[in-house]
Structure formats: C-alpha cells, structure tokens
Amino acid sequence: MNPEAQGEGLEVRGWSVGWGGELLQGPLDLTIHGGERIALIGPSGSGKSTLLTSWAGLHDPMAGTLSLDGRTPDDWGWPVFRSQVHYLAQRPSLGLARVSDALQRPFSFESQRGAYDAEAAASMLEELGLDTGILERRASELSEGQSQRVAIARSLLLQPRFLLMDEPTSALDGESAERVERLIEDRCTQSGLAVVWVTHDRAQAARLGGRILSLEEPA
Amino acid sequence: MGSETAGAISLSMADLAIATSLVLVAGVVSMALRLGLGRTLLLASVRTVVQLLLIGFILEWIFSLEDAIPLFCVLAVMVVFAGRAAVGRVERTFDGIFWRSGLTLATTGLLTAVIVTAGIIGVDPWYKPQYLLPLLGMILGNSLTGMSLCLDKLLEDLDLRAGTIETDLALGASRWEAAREPVTNAIRRGMIPIINSMMVAGIVSLPGMMTGQILAGANPIEAVKYQVVVMFMLVASTAMGSTGVALLTYRRLFNAHHQLERQAIAAKKVL
C-alpha cells in the first residue's frame, strides 16, 4: 500500500464497547478505506448497533481510539466528524414534519457545507423506487419501508464519506432491497463512499462484495 | 368594629370573633347536610389561625432586624424550599437537578428582587426585609411554577424524542442545533402561567397584592402601579428562571462530545 495513504480512512484501535461496565465486544482493530464495503454480521445482541453508533461518535466506547484521516473527533470537532461519518438507524427518525422538510433539515446544520438540491432529492427517491409525491407527505404517515428509504436518501444527499448502516433494508421486499444495494454500490465505486452494512442476511452480505466481518456471541 | 387609623382599619379581637362565626356557618351546613366535614373544618380553622399567627410573629421579628445576616439565612431557607418544590412534581429527574434549580432560583430571584427594591421602589437599604421578603416570596412562588413546567416539558421531550435528537446528531448537528427546539419549547411552556395571568389581570382576577393594598386604604391607582411593577417583576424572573434552569439542564444532558446522555434521565414516582 502507498505509504502516503497511512492513516487515511476511518480507523479504530483497541475498540471495546459495552453497557454499564459489561463488555459487549472488543478489543477490536479496524481500518475502513474510502470506497470500501464491509458487511457486519453476528447474532442478535452481539453489539453490532453499539459498534456502529460508537464509531459514529454517538456514545463513547469503554476503551479505544477513533480517528478519521489520522485526526480524532476532538480534532475535527464532533459535529464535523459526524457529518462525514453517518450512522443510519434501522428505525430512522424523520421527525414530525413533511418528508421534504426532513430531507432539508440537516443542510441547516453548521457542519454541513452543501445545499439542498430538490432535483437531486427527487431523482434519488425515484432510484429507490419511491414516488416523488412522497415529498409532500407527513413523515409520520410513512410505512417502515418507506421511512428506511427516505432516510437512506437523506444520508446520501448529504454526501458523507462513511455510512454506517444498521439493517437498512430490514423492512424492504427483495426488489427494493436490491435497488438500495445497487445505489450504494454505485456510490462506493463512483464517489468513494465507504459503507459498513449490518445485516442478518448472509446472501446480502455476499452480494455486497466486500469484506465480511463476523462478530461472535459476547462472552 | 374596627377602628380607623391612617387609611387601614385595624381589627380588634372582637372582630376576629365575629369572623369565627362565619366558620361556624360552614360547620352548621356540614352538620345539617351530614357532610362529615365538621372535624376537618375545625382542624383547618385552627391551622389557619396558628400558621398565620406564627408567620406574623416571625415577620414582625424579621422586620425588626437591623442585621442582614439572619435575614439572608431566612432567604436561603426560602430558596431551598422553593428549589425543592420546583423539582418535586417533575416526572423525570437527573443527578444534580436540585442544585441547578436552587442555583437558578437564588440568582434570578435575588437579581429581580434587588432591581425592584433598589432600582424601582428605591428602598434604603435595598435588603429592607419589609420589602425584600414579600417580593422575593412572590418571585420564588411564580418562578418555581414556571421552572417546574419547563423542566417537566424539557425532560419529557429529551426522553421521548431522543431518537429524533440522536438522528440530528448523527447527521452532523451540534448539541445546540439538536437541542434548540426542545429547550425553547420548554421555556415557552414555563412562561404560560404568568403570561396568562398578565392577559387577564384586572378583568378576570384582581391580583391579590392589589386587593390587599386597596383594603389597606391605598389609592387604587397607587395600588395598580405597584401591581404593574410586580407583574413585570414576575414575568422577568419567570423568564430568567425557566431559561436558566433549561440551559443548565441542557449543559448537563449534552456532553462535550455533543452526545445526548439519555441514560442520565430517570423516571420517578410523583405524588
């Protein structure tokens, strides 16, 4: 590997997570490079979500260091770090307003540099198999599958460098799930997006075509 | 009959005895209708007389004090009780909620009271207990209600809408960007009671202090002027109190890593 690329990407060292002093996973070392696809599999309760949320800096680990391009979240500023390393929840929250408001809201955050592009939003929703009429609907009226896809669109529109997805297609049928897979794959190859994808579906993990990281039952 | 001296009509013991017969009317009604309230009425009447006499003597003693130190001890006790009451009926709690509410009440309450005694009424010295004590009492009483409502709303929102807040954080929001809406909504909630009473002041309700001054022989316009000062004082202290406690709570529940410490919010039983 090119020595200049040392420290490039998202890097965790000696990473241990748990709740209430109880170790769930770790210590763990992992480096995720731009464009990479990683499937994270493991039994329920093995700490997949906890790992993802902690890598996105949403809570602190029991031990370990986290860095992006060799700089810690403290160096970046936590909001700026998280604007590049997104966590996408399995049951995403879109708020109470309309879908278009939910898509626009994050662009108002200081850490976000880009501007909301209504056309890009509409075409992305179509790529995900959603009718653009959904933009005017209240987010609370959406089905779980629609919410998951709107949340994926919201994240991609913000163009993060790393996307940590927690079973993003769990409420989707096979065809819709494959649309999501294709869209993500495009982003990885074309714009260097890196994803960590939590899934229970080994076939999906294989389809992603990258590394497969298998967690064991916590001790 | 009372005897008139300089505006206020002073009441004799005989006058109080006549007032007692008013309670007896209620007692007779209770017996006639078998309401079973006789003992309760007796107890309530005795408590009214004893409690008020007690506070009367205490106030008489405090007003006679030349020294400020015992006065400030009394004020501190008031703040502690008000701080406890402010968090008492809030449905959720967190470690350190009490000192935050007490600190907010002490600073915002005293600040407002001093502005009124020293700046507006022009009392000398500014801590003259006859003025400071009842004013601070009104301020604390109103502030604690506002702070209580504010805390209840804020903790409820941070608890129930934690998913939305963490989504914002996950998408790059700073802690303030994620918390601003719950915080401002909570402050607004805390301000509702005092704004309501300002809206209907004089139409639906005659504020107690004004009524008291008029009964004590004051010119109604003079009484109104005082009441306006008091209303503005109360809205200022409630605004500062709600804002103060909401911001201190925000600083406690969102850490330097811009994370929501949702596990710090605990549910509790409210009587």
Side-chain angles (χ1 to χ4, degrees):
Chain A
M1 177 166 282
N2 178 0
E4 277 177 357
Q6 187 94 60
E8 280 276 314
L10 189 65
E11 203 174 74
V12 294
R13 288 282 171 269
W15 200 255
S16 298
V17 291
W19 295 107
E22 198 105 335
L23 181 72
L24 206 50
Q25 282 292 341
L28 195 125
D29 295 322
L30 179 70
T31 305
I32 309 167
H33 299 284
E36 206 175 352
R37 278 159 284 172
I38 296 175
L40 185 59
I41 57 176
S44 298
S46 59
K48 301 184 295 291
S49 304
T50 308
L51 280 176
L52 249 52
T53 47
S54 66
W55 291 340
L58 288 167
H59 57 84
D60 295 332
M62 292 170 79
T65 58
L66 174 66
S67 64
L68 175 62
D69 300 344
R71 297 171 68 197
T72 67
D74 271 326
D75 298 334
W76 284 103
W78 290 78
V80 174
F81 174 83
R82 287 197 284 250
S83 72
Q84 301 177 75
V85 183
H86 276 194
Y87 166 72
L88 188 61
Q90 183 183 1
R91 287 193 187 76
S93 167
L94 298 171
L96 301 170
R98 292 175 315 155
V99 169
S100 60
D101 299 319
L103 293 180
Q104 283 178 59
R105 176 173 166 79
F107 285 98
S108 70
F109 302 150
E110 217 186 297
S111 67
Q112 296 291 353
R113 293 271 169 254
Y116 179 67
D117 179 347
E119 270 176 41
S123 71
M124 185 164 309
L125 290 174
E126 278 175 351
E127 263 186 275
L128 289 165
L130 294 168
D131 189 283
T132 52
I134 203 171
L135 283 165
E136 297 307 313
R137 292 185 49 197
R138 297 183 75 81
S140 53
E141 295 169 353
L142 304 188
S143 72
E144 205 177 321
Q146 288 170 324
S147 301
Q148 281 191 331
R149 282 176 286 173
V150 168
I152 291 168
R154 175 173 60 183
S155 263
L156 291 179
L157 286 169
L158 293 164
Q159 301 182 336
R161 294 170 53 200
F162 295 83
L163 190 48
L164 313 178
M165 300 191 287
D166 203 347
E167 302 193 44
T169 58
S170 62
L172 300 184
D173 58 51
E175 193 198 318
S176 305
E178 279 173 33
R179 277 173 186 272
V180 173
E181 289 167 20
R182 275 201 302 277
L183 181 64
I184 296 292
E185 201 182 320
D186 281 355
R187 291 304 173 111
C188 292
T189 50
Q190 283 166 21
S191 34
L193 172 73
V195 295
V196 179
W197 188 310
V198 168
T199 179
H200 278 293
D201 181 355
R202 284 190 169 267
Q204 186 175 52
R207 275 200 304 276
L208 289 173
R211 270 194 283 173
I212 297 181
L213 207 70
S214 184
L215 293 182
E216 288 175 12
E217 202 87 44
Chain B
M1 287 281 170
S3 55
E4 197 159 349
T5 52
I9 302 173
S10 163
L11 298 179
S12 67
M13 280 303 159
D15 297 329
L16 287 181
I18 298 170
T20 308
S21 67
L22 292 174
V23 179
L24 288 179
V25 172
V28 168
V29 170
S30 167
M31 278 202 279
L33 298 177
R34 298 179 193 279
L35 298 180
L37 290 176
R39 285 174 61 92
T40 314
L41 265 174
L42 180 67
L43 178 69
S45 307
V46 171
R47 282 189 63 152
T48 302
V49 173
V50 171
Q51 287 168 195
L52 290 180
L53 269 179
L54 205 62
I55 196 63
F57 285 125
I58 292 175
L59 286 176
E60 201 169 37
W61 168 69
I62 295 172
F63 289 178
S64 71
L65 292 175
E66 300 290 324
D67 199 358
I69 292 168
L71 171 67
F72 280 96
C73 292
V74 173
L75 297 185
V77 170
M78 287 168 69
V79 167
V80 168
F81 271 87
R84 282 178 56 108
V87 301
R89 280 174 205 291
V90 178
E91 283 191 16
R92 292 170 180 78
T93 187
F94 58 85
D95 272 347
I97 191 172
F98 169 62
W99 76 255
R100 284 175 174 82
S101 99
L103 179 73
T104 310
L105 275 171
T107 50
T108 63
L110 261 184
L111 179 67
T112 324
V114 170
I115 290 174
V116 174
T117 59
I120 299 174
I121 308 181
V123 186
D124 183 38
W126 60 267
Y127 56 82
K128 196 172 179 187
Q130 187 191 339
Y131 289 86
L132 188 61
L133 209 68
L135 287 172
L136 190 70
M138 282 192 277
I139 290 171
L140 294 179
N142 277 272
S143 269
L144 79 87
T145 304
M147 285 169 50
S148 208
L149 291 168
C150 172
L151 275 173
D152 203 48
K153 170 79 174 151
L154 181 57
L155 294 176
E156 180 183 301
D157 272 9
L158 295 184
D159 190 13
L160 300 183
R161 295 175 55 194
T164 311
I165 292 166
E166 289 194 326
T167 300
D168 279 353
L169 294 171
L171 296 172
S174 68
R175 56 183 164 173
W176 176 245
E177 284 168 330
R180 187 173 51 208
E181 217 175 280
V183 167
T184 51
N185 284 344
I187 295 172
R188 205 170 293 129
R189 171 72 58 92
M191 298 285 295
I192 286 176
I194 183 67
I195 289 178
N196 280 351
S197 36
M198 287 172 77
M199 285 294 182
V200 301
I203 302 173
V204 177
S205 64
L206 273 187
M209 195 205 70
M210 197 175 108
T211 316
Q213 281 198 317
I214 293 175
L215 282 179
N219 174 319
I221 298 300
E222 288 305 312
V224 164
K225 284 195 219 159
Y226 259 89
Q227 189 62 49
V228 168
V229 169
V230 164
M231 281 299 204
F232 289 178
M233 163 185 98
L234 295 181
V235 77
S237 63
T238 308
M240 289 193 289
S242 298
T243 308
V245 84
L247 291 179
L248 287 177
T249 302
Y250 156 73
R251 294 294 296 200
R252 165 69 180 84
L253 296 176
F254 287 83
N255 62 29
H257 291 177
H258 297 258
Q259 299 159 346
L260 171 61
E261 295 193 1
R262 59 200 289 186
Q263 74 287 350
I265 304 172
K268 71 167 202 227
K269 270 203 147 71
V270 182
L271 293 178

